[in-house]
Amino acid sequence: MRLKKLTEHILYTECDSSIDRPVLGYINGEKFSVMIDAGNSANHVREYNSLIENHGLKKPKYCIITHWHWDHTFGMHALEAETIAHFKTSDELARMSSWVWNDLKMKERLRTGEEIPFADEHIRAEYENLDEIKVAPAVLTFAQKIVIDLGGVTCECLHLTSAHSEDSVAILVPEENIIFLGDVYNDDFYQDHYRDLEKTKLLYEELSAIPFELAVVGHSEPVRKSEILNFLQKFL
């Protein structure tokens, strides 16, 4: 995993599809810094922190979560930063915090459809010991929008419509014309890759109205606004 610099204030890590580790962001302000998404494990967090330290950067004060899926949240318990998420994200994580993590219970959740094969496979790839999994809800929650002033740079946390997950949050950094989108424009992995076309239309309209040039996304290199809109327009 490497840490890549986009601008003076914004960096991001590479993703790793073999163990479903998404991109993690770093936004550096004069007063404090912010992490985007918490990663899929304590090991993921440790590697992130090591990269931050090696680059001489300060540890994040907050971690903003883009949505509840395991690969973006299972590192939350290992953070020193306070976590910020949509209230639906925290509700989902609170529900999952009671789950027992062993082979038998995971197979049972697959059988009932509470979990999906893609997540099960990659959780097992990331965790040699399943009992190390800990799910924690967010410390701070919001409904539609919050703005965080880091000093010289701002994070606008926006709840967006998404076919991927109802709790999806984007983080706009207006000073840099950059937005963090997580997996907001993907389809719904938990509904057999179903894509709600009405939600997709609303997302297209919402993203069209937001001023940004480049998006940092969950599982690839950053993409331009025009590429995202062209992708979504195919479903309209």
Side-chain angles (χ1 to χ4, degrees):
M1 189 168 77
R2 291 187 300 165
L3 190 64
K4 296 184 175 183
K5 186 174 182 178
L6 266 184
T7 70
E8 179 185 353
H9 296 287
I10 297 176
L11 301 93
Y12 68 97
T13 68
E14 296 175 305
C15 62
D16 184 346
S17 59
S18 67
I19 44 179
D20 202 24
R21 286 187 174 183
V23 168
L24 304 180
Y26 181 89
I27 305 171
N28 195 21
E30 295 168 3
K31 296 188 293 186
F32 56 85
S33 64
V34 163
M35 179 180 185
I36 306 298
D37 278 328
N40 70 359
S41 67
N43 285 337
H44 197 183
V45 171
R46 278 190 284 270
E47 290 185 32
Y48 176 92
N49 287 339
S50 178
L51 289 171
I52 296 301
E53 183 179 351
N54 290 341
H55 280 74
L57 299 166
K58 52 186 175 283
K59 287 186 177 180
K61 180 177 180 180
Y62 298 108
C63 177
I64 306 167
I65 306 298
T66 61
H67 62 299
W68 67 270
H69 293 166
W70 81 277
D71 49 319
H72 299 259
T73 58
F74 276 21
M76 286 170 64
H77 73 277
L79 297 174
E80 295 179 29
E82 284 191 284
T83 47
I84 300 173
H86 192 268
F87 74 90
K88 289 184 179 179
T89 303
S90 201
D91 288 349
E92 284 292 333
L93 295 172
R95 177 180 66 86
M96 295 171 69
S97 67
S98 64
W99 287 7
V100 175
W101 293 95
N102 58 38
D103 180 64
L104 181 64
K105 290 295 185 180
M106 288 177 70
K107 285 178 178 174
E108 184 179 330
R109 288 193 288 270
L110 276 178
R111 183 181 58 79
T112 62
E114 195 166 19
E115 189 55 279
I116 57 174
F118 182 84
D120 181 88
E121 173 189 344
H122 288 88
I123 289 170
R124 291 175 186 273
E126 173 67 24
Y127 287 90
E128 184 176 346
N129 299 312
L130 295 172
D131 58 5
E132 292 179 359
I133 298 173
K134 295 182 177 116
V135 184
V139 174
L140 304 169
T141 62
F142 69 100
Q144 289 301 323
K145 177 180 179 178
I146 58 168
V147 178
I148 306 169
D149 181 2
L150 284 63
V153 67
T154 309
C155 289
E156 296 183 10
C157 308
L158 312 167
H159 178 228
L160 298 182
T161 308
S162 172
H164 185 68
S165 186
E166 287 190 2
D167 59 325
S168 291
V169 166
I171 301 93
L172 175 67
V173 186
E175 296 85 356
E176 304 284 1
N177 289 317
I178 288 174
I179 196 168
F180 286 81
L181 290 180
D183 301 344
V184 71
Y185 59 86
N186 289 340
D187 50 20
D188 189 344
F189 294 179
Y190 281 81
Q191 297 294 329
D192 197 26
H193 291 272
Y194 170 71
R195 175 175 288 276
D196 185 306
L197 297 183
E198 182 59 31
K199 289 180 180 178
T200 300
K201 180 176 182 291
L202 289 171
L203 176 63
Y204 178 87
E205 293 170 354
E206 290 167 0
L207 289 177
S208 295
I210 298 172
F212 71 94
E213 294 178 1
L214 196 65
V216 182
V217 295
H219 296 273
S220 72
E221 288 296 307
V223 293
R224 298 206 166 275
K225 180 177 183 177
S226 58
E227 295 178 69
I228 295 171
L229 295 180
N230 287 341
F231 171 78
L232 293 174
Q233 198 168 38
K234 295 176 183 178
F235 301 99
L236 305 184

